[in-house]
Amino acid sequence: DIQMTQSPSSLSASVGDSVTITCRASQTITKYLNWYQHKPGKAPNLLIYAASSLQSGVPSRFRGSGSGTDFTLTISGLQPEDFGTYYCQQSFTTSLTFGPGTKVDIK
Amino acid sequence: QVQLVQSGAEVKKPGASVKVSCKASGYTFNGHYMHWVRQAPGQVLEWLGRFNPSSGGTDYAEKFQGRVTMTRGTSISTVYMELSRLTSDDTAIYYCARGSWEPFDALDIWGQGTVVTVSS
């Protein structure tokens, strides 16, 4: 299986800050990378697919970039509702794998 | 609207099996894979496999091969996930999720989750 890593594992930021989360794959996955936000007690929510395409209904402050093995999710102008855990997920292989998550707290 | 509705919470003893249902509505059921993902307490999201409603075909994670079965129900637009030989490590929230944006297999619609507790 392709292994996914994320950094940092957690972060705390203020409203209005710009936040960047990094995801790395153990081998090239071209652009087969999706991002999710997960809040306690709720199902995960798709934010970005194909590395950089914004899912319908997701605010434009969320931006994905990268290809190959290195990817980033940037939140520009953090909002109070952006707390939660963010996961990357590769779909280069049929067997999907998720990163370990990055927990985002609002100061 | 597009939604997935899952069956209710389950409590099982070690060694038993659990079968969770996922009923889809609001979209062309045969047009999307149905995936199953779980999250154990304090753990990361883990993919169990996917079901092709059009062909009935399945792809399972190697870890669950021989223990997981995904099927289509007789009622329209329902998929089942059965996990056998349960242990306490299978205690988790189980989600079904629709695959979209082929070939990128992005999971765009999720069920509400089914809590499965394995305890003697």
Side-chain angles (χ1 to χ4, degrees):
Chain A
D1 285 356
I2 296 176
Q3 306 304 315
M4 308 299 293
T5 57
Q6 288 182 234
S7 62
S9 57
S10 66
L11 65 91
S12 185
S14 298
V15 172
D17 284 352
S18 182
V19 165
T20 297
I21 298 168
T22 297
C23 174
R24 175 166 288 173
S26 59
Q27 66 183 72
T28 183
I29 57 172
T30 62
K31 295 182 75 68
Y32 285 74
L33 191 283
N34 308 310
W35 289 97
Y36 302 85
Q37 177 193 62
H38 193 193
K39 295 184 178 182
K42 293 196 168 185
N45 182 45
L46 176 67
L47 301 173
I48 302 287
Y49 64 94
S52 59
S53 295
L54 190 68
Q55 172 68 356
S56 174
V58 174
S60 58
R61 64 180 179 273
F62 291 92
R63 185 173 67 87
S65 63
S67 66
T69 60
D70 295 317
F71 303 85
T72 58
L73 174 69
T74 301
I75 310 172
S76 301
L78 195 69
Q79 297 299 302
E81 61 267 28
D82 296 338
F83 74 92
T85 302
Y86 291 79
Y87 294 94
C88 60
Q89 169 242 318
Q90 69 80 22
S91 55
F92 186 76
T93 59
T94 299
S95 186
L96 308 184
T97 48
F98 292 85
T102 296
K103 186 175 182 180
V104 174
D105 289 324
I106 309 297
K107 282 183 184 174
Chain B
Q1 74 278 25
V2 178
Q3 63 176 355
L4 303 174
V5 179
Q6 299 181 223
S7 49
E10 302 265 12
V11 179
K12 296 292 182 181
K13 293 195 181 302
S17 297
V18 67
K19 193 170 186 177
V20 180
S21 69
C22 173
K23 182 172 175 55
S25 60
Y27 71 95
T28 303
F29 181 62
N30 284 352
H32 297 260
Y33 279 96
M34 190 69 77
H35 296 254
W36 290 87
V37 175
R38 76 179 187 180
Q39 186 172 40
Q43 301 299 311
V44 303
L45 297 171
E46 185 173 35
W47 184 78
L48 284 80
R50 70 179 185 177
F51 178 80
N52 184 337
S54 179
S55 67
T58 55
D59 296 290
Y60 299 140
E62 188 173 350
K63 174 178 178 178
F64 299 101
Q65 286 275 3
R67 219 163 56 92
V68 69
T69 305
M70 297 175 188
T71 56
R72 179 173 188 161
T74 52
S75 72
I76 294 172
S77 304
T78 298
V79 176
Y80 293 91
M81 186 283 299
E82 184 172 19
L83 190 63
S84 63
R85 304 193 301 276
L86 294 169
T87 72
S88 58
D89 290 343
D90 294 314
T91 293
I93 302 174
Y94 288 76
Y95 296 99
C96 58
R98 186 181 80 164
S100 282
W101 301 116
E102 292 300 321
F104 296 102
D105 244 347
L107 308 180
D108 68 336
I109 304 294
W110 293 66
Q112 82 276 20
T114 296
V115 176
V116 174
T117 303
V118 183
S119 174
S120 55

